[in-house]
Amino acid sequence: MATNITFHPGAVSSEERANLLGQRGITLWLTGLSASGKSTIATALEQHLLHLKKHAYRLDGDNIRFGLNKDLGFSEKDRNENIRRISEVAKLFSDSGAIAITAFISPYKADRNLARELHTKSNISFIEVFVDAPLAVVEQRDPKGLYKKARAGEIKEFTGISAPYEPPESPEIHIRTDQLDVAASVKVITEYLVSQGII
């Protein structure tokens, strides 16, 4: 970590910001296998929340790798750093009062726990959403042809095939996308946010 630096606090408290904006910031952390439906649900949820006049912003795994994380590969070390960076970015968005929606495979429990801890230390709500679909289902969907390539050995360290996915043990929200469509999945998340007084 850099030395000779000092954190410069702002003049607006979290409570004042929430009152002025009419909402408090949170992070919705969507995790699940590739092709489980994370990005599709995140996109629909962002649109739905914006139509409800809520400031929401989606941070998508593939999109982030075009810019902020374009220097990272898919080794375990790089995956850890990918999630560490996006955890910090999501925390900044939610600290600003936005509903940050992240859609990342984030296969390791330790990384997701780190993301939660970063938010908890800053008194920011962190809501883990397990976007769950069996491996057989996501392999059948395979919209990008990645599972086929992984099975053929063309992609190394592919989550669910040659690299592990550690499912959440107690997520705040658990969505089975082999049983629910996108609209129903968005409804489940929205109803949770309403029940928690977030929207």
Side-chain angles (χ1 to χ4, degrees), residues 153-179:
E154 296 171 27
I155 301 176
K156 306 298 180 193
E157 300 183 271
F158 189 78
T159 303
I161 303 298
S162 50
Y165 178 78
E166 301 169 357
E169 293 173 356
S170 53
E172 282 78 7
I173 304 172
H174 186 167
I175 297 173
R176 290 285 306 267
T177 59
D178 57 330
Q179 299 172 7

Side-chain angles (χ1 to χ4, degrees), residues 98-135:
I99 297 173
I101 306 165
T102 74
F104 289 77
I105 293 172
S106 46
Y108 302 112
K109 290 177 189 174
D111 292 337
R112 297 192 303 266
N113 288 340
L114 171 68
R116 184 183 293 275
E117 286 171 21
L118 283 171
H119 286 74
T120 302
K121 285 178 184 174
S122 297
N123 275 338
I124 298 170
S125 294
F126 180 92
I127 299 164
E128 189 174 44
V129 182
F130 182 20
V131 182
D132 185 10
L135 182 60

Side-chain angles (χ1 to χ4, degrees), residues 14-44:
S14 296
E15 186 177 338
E16 183 181 5
R17 187 186 305 274
N19 288 335
L20 289 169
L21 294 175
Q23 73 176 60
R24 63 185 171 96
I26 63 157
T27 291
L28 286 161
W29 191 277
L30 279 63
T31 175
L33 291 170
S34 180
S36 62
K38 299 178 303 299
S39 294
T40 305
I41 292 169
T43 300

Side-chain angles (χ1 to χ4, degrees), residues 37-148:
K38 299 178 303 299
S39 294
T40 305
I41 292 169
T43 300
L45 178 63
E46 178 187 38
Q47 182 182 40
H48 179 64
L49 291 173
L50 288 168
H51 284 198
L52 293 176
K53 308 299 185 196
K54 298 298 177 184
H55 177 39
Y57 193 80
R58 175 180 55 90
L59 300 164
D60 184 79
D62 280 356
N63 295 356
I64 292 295
R65 285 181 176 272
F66 280 104
L68 178 68
N69 292 347
K70 68 181 179 182
D71 60 322
L72 299 177
F74 290 92
S75 68
E76 182 173 349
K77 181 179 177 184
D78 280 0
R79 286 173 188 261
N80 295 153
E81 177 60 14
N82 182 49
I83 297 305
R84 187 196 69 77
R85 289 183 195 177
I86 203 59
S87 301
E88 294 283 4
V89 171
K91 187 183 81 169
L92 290 172
F93 269 87
S94 50
D95 186 51
S96 78
I99 297 173
I101 306 165
T102 74
F104 289 77
I105 293 172
S106 46
Y108 302 112
K109 290 177 189 174
D111 292 337
R112 297 192 303 266
N113 288 340
L114 171 68
R116 184 183 293 275
E117 286 171 21
L118 283 171
H119 286 74
T120 302
K121 285 178 184 174
S122 297
N123 275 338
I124 298 170
S125 294
F126 180 92
I127 299 164
E128 189 174 44
V129 182
F130 182 20
V131 182
D132 185 10
L135 182 60
V137 171
V138 295
E139 279 202 76
Q140 185 178 16
R141 292 174 182 167
D142 202 14
K144 303 171 191 173
L146 299 178
Y147 284 101
K148 186 177 180 181

